[in-house]
Amino acid sequence: MTETSYLSSVRASYDAVAVDYARLFSTELDGKPLDRAMLAAFAEYVREDSGGGGRAVADLGCGPGRVTAHLNELGVRAFGVDLSPAMVAVARRTYPGLRFEVGSMAALDVADGVLGGVLAWYSTVHTPPSELPALFAEFARVLAPGGHLLVAFMAGDELFRLDHAYGHAVDLDVYRTPPELIAGLLAGAGLTEAARLVRKPGPDERSPHGFLLARKS
């Protein structure tokens, strides 16, 4: 796929599933203590670090906004950005007090060095590995010195195709990525690894899940 067709497919697929996706995943974090722990650590770093304290946090690929809302409950000023207008519409309806924008995380409408944190919660899983360096460079660009990044991803080293999900036809490539590759690419973007976690797949998951926390020096 070219970059344009890949983005178009992701947008169209998530537009199609937005309402059902939001319903199915509304309480997903309730049964995932390790996922919540990584989000809590990320939020605490953002709140307390002198370089990031008080600055906004971008939840990139925010989908229906449930994790954006969770971050706000943890005491950070989070806003969401998503490629899918339908996902953003659901997020705005569900969380009217929060800010959600339609946009590409590969080309953010955010000034250099202004964010205290960036969250990519499984939102890089459809990005071809060859495009990850540019994506992580964009994340680093918008982070303030001392700002923090948390990436959640599917751990492994393979590509699988989704043509049906959440009750709808979709057209998605899903990449499982080695944690060592993620860490190396983040380092290349000027982001220093602070912690990583890989957990076993849950009952309804196909692969191990990885979490990597990094800081902009």
PDB file of all heavy atoms in Angstrom, residues 141-163:
ATOM      1  N   ARG A 141       8.915  15.871  18.177  1.00  0.00           N
ATOM      2  CA  ARG A 141       8.843  17.295  17.813  1.00  0.00           C
ATOM      3  C   ARG A 141       7.892  18.062  18.720  1.00  0.00           C
ATOM      4  O   ARG A 141       8.193  19.177  19.159  1.00  0.00           O
ATOM      5  CB  ARG A 141       8.395  17.442  16.356  1.00  0.00           C
ATOM      6  CG  ARG A 141       8.260  18.897  15.906  1.00  0.00           C
ATOM      7  CD  ARG A 141       7.664  19.019  14.513  1.00  0.00           C
ATOM      8  NE  ARG A 141       6.253  18.637  14.459  1.00  0.00           N
ATOM      9  CZ  ARG A 141       5.236  19.429  14.832  1.00  0.00           C
ATOM     10  NH1 ARG A 141       5.479  20.639  15.342  1.00  0.00           N
ATOM     11  NH2 ARG A 141       3.983  19.010  14.725  1.00  0.00           N
ATOM     12  N   VAL A 142       6.743  17.481  19.017  1.00  0.00           N
ATOM     13  CA  VAL A 142       5.718  18.227  19.764  1.00  0.00           C
ATOM     14  C   VAL A 142       5.923  18.155  21.273  1.00  0.00           C
ATOM     15  O   VAL A 142       5.306  18.924  22.018  1.00  0.00           O
ATOM     16  CB  VAL A 142       4.303  17.743  19.396  1.00  0.00           C
ATOM     17  CG1 VAL A 142       4.030  18.001  17.920  1.00  0.00           C
ATOM     18  CG2 VAL A 142       4.084  16.272  19.731  1.00  0.00           C
ATOM     19  N   LEU A 143       6.788  17.238  21.747  1.00  0.00           N
ATOM     20  CA  LEU A 143       7.043  17.135  23.181  1.00  0.00           C
ATOM     21  C   LEU A 143       7.974  18.241  23.666  1.00  0.00           C
ATOM     22  O   LEU A 143       8.968  18.572  23.016  1.00  0.00           O
ATOM     23  CB  LEU A 143       7.681  15.786  23.515  1.00  0.00           C
ATOM     24  CG  LEU A 143       6.744  14.585  23.661  1.00  0.00           C
ATOM     25  CD1 LEU A 143       7.571  13.310  23.777  1.00  0.00           C
ATOM     26  CD2 LEU A 143       5.830  14.744  24.863  1.00  0.00           C
ATOM     27  N   ALA A 144       7.660  18.787  24.836  1.00  0.00           N
ATOM     28  CA  ALA A 144       8.577  19.709  25.497  1.00  0.00           C
ATOM     29  C   ALA A 144       9.779  18.952  26.024  1.00  0.00           C
ATOM     30  O   ALA A 144       9.701  17.745  26.281  1.00  0.00           O
ATOM     31  CB  ALA A 144       7.857  20.404  26.651  1.00  0.00           C
ATOM     32  N   PRO A 145      10.920  19.606  26.194  1.00  0.00           N
ATOM     33  CA  PRO A 145      12.045  18.948  26.869  1.00  0.00           C
ATOM     34  C   PRO A 145      11.589  18.420  28.225  1.00  0.00           C
ATOM     35  O   PRO A 145      10.947  19.121  28.997  1.00  0.00           O
ATOM     36  CB  PRO A 145      13.065  20.074  27.014  1.00  0.00           C
ATOM     37  CG  PRO A 145      12.750  21.017  25.882  1.00  0.00           C
ATOM     38  CD  PRO A 145      11.252  20.969  25.750  1.00  0.00           C
ATOM     39  N   GLY A 146      11.903  17.160  28.492  1.00  0.00           N
ATOM     40  CA  GLY A 146      11.438  16.536  29.720  1.00  0.00           C
ATOM     41  C   GLY A 146      10.062  15.916  29.610  1.00  0.00           C
ATOM     42  O   GLY A 146       9.585  15.299  30.564  1.00  0.00           O
ATOM     43  N   GLY A 147       9.403  16.054  28.444  1.00  0.00           N
ATOM     44  CA  GLY A 147       8.092  15.462  28.252  1.00  0.00           C
ATOM     45  C   GLY A 147       8.177  13.957  28.076  1.00  0.00           C
ATOM     46  O   GLY A 147       9.250  13.395  27.800  1.00  0.00           O
ATOM     47  N   HIS A 148       7.040  13.300  28.215  1.00  0.00           N
ATOM     48  CA  HIS A 148       7.009  11.842  28.254  1.00  0.00           C
ATOM     49  C   HIS A 148       6.131  11.257  27.159  1.00  0.00           C
ATOM     50  O   HIS A 148       5.130  11.855  26.748  1.00  0.00           O
ATOM     51  CB  HIS A 148       6.513  11.368  29.618  1.00  0.00           C
ATOM     52  CG  HIS A 148       7.373  11.807  30.741  1.00  0.00           C
ATOM     53  ND1 HIS A 148       8.497  11.119  31.137  1.00  0.00           N
ATOM     54  CD2 HIS A 148       7.314  12.910  31.532  1.00  0.00           C
ATOM     55  CE1 HIS A 148       9.085  11.760  32.131  1.00  0.00           C
ATOM     56  NE2 HIS A 148       8.383  12.848  32.396  1.00  0.00           N
ATOM     57  N   LEU A 149       6.512  10.059  26.717  1.00  0.00           N
ATOM     58  CA  LEU A 149       5.765   9.312  25.701  1.00  0.00           C
ATOM     59  C   LEU A 149       5.477   7.920  26.230  1.00  0.00           C
ATOM     60  O   LEU A 149       6.361   7.268  26.804  1.00  0.00           O
ATOM     61  CB  LEU A 149       6.594   9.192  24.408  1.00  0.00           C
ATOM     62  CG  LEU A 149       6.081   8.202  23.349  1.00  0.00           C
ATOM     63  CD1 LEU A 149       4.797   8.700  22.711  1.00  0.00           C
ATOM     64  CD2 LEU A 149       7.150   7.953  22.292  1.00  0.00           C
ATOM     65  N   LEU A 150       4.235   7.459  26.027  1.00  0.00           N
ATOM     66  CA  LEU A 150       3.895   6.067  26.300  1.00  0.00           C
ATOM     67  C   LEU A 150       3.314   5.463  25.033  1.00  0.00           C
ATOM     68  O   LEU A 150       2.339   5.978  24.480  1.00  0.00           O
ATOM     69  CB  LEU A 150       2.872   5.968  27.439  1.00  0.00           C
ATOM     70  CG  LEU A 150       2.352   4.546  27.747  1.00  0.00           C
ATOM     71  CD1 LEU A 150       3.499   3.621  28.149  1.00  0.00           C
ATOM     72  CD2 LEU A 150       1.297   4.603  28.859  1.00  0.00           C
ATOM     73  N   VAL A 151       3.938   4.389  24.569  1.00  0.00           N
ATOM     74  CA  VAL A 151       3.471   3.657  23.393  1.00  0.00           C
ATOM     75  C   VAL A 151       3.000   2.286  23.843  1.00  0.00           C
ATOM     76  O   VAL A 151       3.742   1.552  24.509  1.00  0.00           O
ATOM     77  CB  VAL A 151       4.599   3.493  22.347  1.00  0.00           C
ATOM     78  CG1 VAL A 151       4.068   2.760  21.115  1.00  0.00           C
ATOM     79  CG2 VAL A 151       5.176   4.844  21.952  1.00  0.00           C
ATOM     80  N   ALA A 152       1.760   1.931  23.497  1.00  0.00           N
ATOM     81  CA  ALA A 152       1.254   0.573  23.697  1.00  0.00           C
ATOM     82  C   ALA A 152       1.125  -0.079  22.324  1.00  0.00           C
ATOM     83  O   ALA A 152       0.655   0.555  21.366  1.00  0.00           O
ATOM     84  CB  ALA A 152      -0.102   0.606  24.403  1.00  0.00           C
ATOM     85  N   PHE A 153       1.533  -1.341  22.223  1.00  0.00           N
ATOM     86  CA  PHE A 153       1.589  -1.979  20.909  1.00  0.00           C
ATOM     87  C   PHE A 153       1.439  -3.488  21.070  1.00  0.00           C
ATOM     88  O   PHE A 153       1.475  -4.036  22.185  1.00  0.00           O
ATOM     89  CB  PHE A 153       2.916  -1.643  20.208  1.00  0.00           C
ATOM     90  CG  PHE A 153       4.146  -1.994  21.015  1.00  0.00           C
ATOM     91  CD1 PHE A 153       4.827  -3.189  20.799  1.00  0.00           C
ATOM     92  CD2 PHE A 153       4.620  -1.130  21.997  1.00  0.00           C
ATOM     93  CE1 PHE A 153       5.955  -3.513  21.538  1.00  0.00           C
ATOM     94  CE2 PHE A 153       5.752  -1.449  22.749  1.00  0.00           C
ATOM     95  CZ  PHE A 153       6.418  -2.638  22.522  1.00  0.00           C
ATOM     96  N   MET A 154       1.248  -4.164  19.972  1.00  0.00           N
ATOM     97  CA  MET A 154       1.213  -5.624  19.959  1.00  0.00           C
ATOM     98  C   MET A 154       2.626  -6.133  19.730  1.00  0.00           C
ATOM     99  O   MET A 154       3.260  -5.783  18.737  1.00  0.00           O
ATOM    100  CB  MET A 154       0.267  -6.117  18.873  1.00  0.00           C
ATOM    101  CG  MET A 154      -1.170  -5.726  19.111  1.00  0.00           C
ATOM    102  SD  MET A 154      -2.255  -6.301  17.783  1.00  0.00           S
ATOM    103  CE  MET A 154      -3.807  -5.544  18.311  1.00  0.00           C
ATOM    104  N   ALA A 155       3.120  -6.931  20.663  1.00  0.00           N
ATOM    105  CA  ALA A 155       4.501  -7.389  20.605  1.00  0.00           C
ATOM    106  C   ALA A 155       4.621  -8.652  19.750  1.00  0.00           C
ATOM    107  O   ALA A 155       3.788  -9.548  19.810  1.00  0.00           O
ATOM    108  CB  ALA A 155       5.022  -7.653  22.013  1.00  0.00           C
ATOM    109  N   GLY A 156       5.664  -8.686  18.949  1.00  0.00           N
ATOM    110  CA  GLY A 156       5.898  -9.823  18.067  1.00  0.00           C
ATOM    111  C   GLY A 156       6.664  -9.369  16.844  1.00  0.00           C
ATOM    112  O   GLY A 156       7.328  -8.333  16.865  1.00  0.00           O
ATOM    113  N   ASP A 157       6.552 -10.118  15.773  1.00  0.00           N
ATOM    114  CA  ASP A 157       7.286  -9.762  14.556  1.00  0.00           C
ATOM    115  C   ASP A 157       6.560 -10.337  13.348  1.00  0.00           C
ATOM    116  O   ASP A 157       7.077 -11.219  12.657  1.00  0.00           O
ATOM    117  CB  ASP A 157       8.722 -10.294  14.620  1.00  0.00           C
ATOM    118  CG  ASP A 157       9.597  -9.738  13.506  1.00  0.00           C
ATOM    119  OD1 ASP A 157       9.138  -8.810  12.810  1.00  0.00           O
ATOM    120  OD2 ASP A 157      10.719 -10.234  13.327  1.00  0.00           O
ATOM    121  N   GLU A 158       5.341  -9.852  13.110  1.00  0.00           N
ATOM    122  CA  GLU A 158       4.571 -10.349  11.980  1.00  0.00           C
ATOM    123  C   GLU A 158       3.450  -9.373  11.626  1.00  0.00           C
ATOM    124  O   GLU A 158       3.105  -8.477  12.398  1.00  0.00           O
ATOM    125  CB  GLU A 158       3.985 -11.725  12.277  1.00  0.00           C
ATOM    126  CG  GLU A 158       3.035 -11.759  13.456  1.00  0.00           C
ATOM    127  CD  GLU A 158       2.541 -13.160  13.766  1.00  0.00           C
ATOM    128  OE1 GLU A 158       2.110 -13.849  12.830  1.00  0.00           O
ATOM    129  OE2 GLU A 158       2.581 -13.550  14.946  1.00  0.00           O
ATOM    130  N   LEU A 159       2.931  -9.583  10.448  1.00  0.00           N
ATOM    131  CA  LEU A 159       1.805  -8.799   9.933  1.00  0.00           C
ATOM    132  C   LEU A 159       0.617  -9.725   9.765  1.00  0.00           C
ATOM    133  O   LEU A 159       0.752 -10.838   9.266  1.00  0.00           O
ATOM    134  CB  LEU A 159       2.185  -8.183   8.578  1.00  0.00           C
ATOM    135  CG  LEU A 159       1.053  -7.655   7.694  1.00  0.00           C
ATOM    136  CD1 LEU A 159       0.395  -6.439   8.322  1.00  0.00           C
ATOM    137  CD2 LEU A 159       1.586  -7.319   6.297  1.00  0.00           C
ATOM    138  N   PHE A 160      -0.567  -9.269  10.203  1.00  0.00           N
ATOM    139  CA  PHE A 160      -1.769 -10.009   9.855  1.00  0.00           C
ATOM    140  C   PHE A 160      -2.820  -9.044   9.333  1.00  0.00           C
ATOM    141  O   PHE A 160      -2.784  -7.847   9.598  1.00  0.00           O
ATOM    142  CB  PHE A 160      -2.288 -10.870  11.023  1.00  0.00           C
ATOM    143  CG  PHE A 160      -2.776 -10.104  12.228  1.00  0.00           C
ATOM    144  CD1 PHE A 160      -4.116  -9.775  12.377  1.00  0.00           C
ATOM    145  CD2 PHE A 160      -1.898  -9.757  13.248  1.00  0.00           C
ATOM    146  CE1 PHE A 160      -4.574  -9.105  13.503  1.00  0.00           C
ATOM    147  CE2 PHE A 160      -2.347  -9.082  14.384  1.00  0.00           C
ATOM    148  CZ  PHE A 160      -3.692  -8.761  14.499  1.00  0.00           C
ATOM    149  N   ARG A 161      -3.732  -9.597   8.567  1.00  0.00           N
ATOM    150  CA  ARG A 161      -4.761  -8.809   7.907  1.00  0.00           C
ATOM    151  C   ARG A 161      -6.090  -8.966   8.627  1.00  0.00           C
ATOM    152  O   ARG A 161      -6.457 -10.037   9.087  1.00  0.00           O
ATOM    153  CB  ARG A 161      -4.942  -9.286   6.462  1.00  0.00           C
ATOM    154  CG  ARG A 161      -3.800  -8.933   5.544  1.00  0.00           C
ATOM    155  CD  ARG A 161      -3.871  -7.491   5.087  1.00  0.00           C
ATOM    156  NE  ARG A 161      -5.129  -7.201   4.410  1.00  0.00           N
ATOM    157  CZ  ARG A 161      -5.631  -5.964   4.254  1.00  0.00           C
ATOM    158  NH1 ARG A 161      -4.991  -4.935   4.727  1.00  0.00           N
ATOM    159  NH2 ARG A 161      -6.756  -5.779   3.618  1.00  0.00           N
ATOM    160  N   LEU A 162      -6.810  -7.858   8.716  1.00  0.00           N
ATOM    161  CA  LEU A 162      -8.180  -7.875   9.215  1.00  0.00           C
ATOM    162  C   LEU A 162      -9.106  -7.438   8.095  1.00  0.00           C
ATOM    163  O   LEU A 162      -8.947  -6.335   7.554  1.00  0.00           O
ATOM    164  CB  LEU A 162      -8.336  -6.913  10.398  1.00  0.00           C
ATOM    165  CG  LEU A 162      -7.960  -7.390  11.800  1.00  0.00           C
ATOM    166  CD1 LEU A 162      -8.202  -6.270  12.799  1.00  0.00           C
ATOM    167  CD2 LEU A 162      -8.739  -8.634  12.191  1.00  0.00           C
ATOM    168  N   ASP A 163     -10.055  -8.287   7.738  1.00  0.00           N
ATOM    169  CA  ASP A 163     -11.060  -7.893   6.758  1.00  0.00           C
ATOM    170  C   ASP A 163     -12.456  -7.865   7.364  1.00  0.00           C
ATOM    171  O   ASP A 163     -13.424  -7.504   6.686  1.00  0.00           O
ATOM    172  CB  ASP A 163     -11.029  -8.796   5.515  1.00  0.00           C
ATOM    173  CG  ASP A 163     -11.185 -10.270   5.851  1.00  0.00           C
ATOM    174  OD1 ASP A 163     -11.660 -10.607   6.960  1.00  0.00           O
ATOM    175  OD2 ASP A 163     -10.812 -11.087   4.986  1.00  0.00           O
TER     176      ASP A 163
END
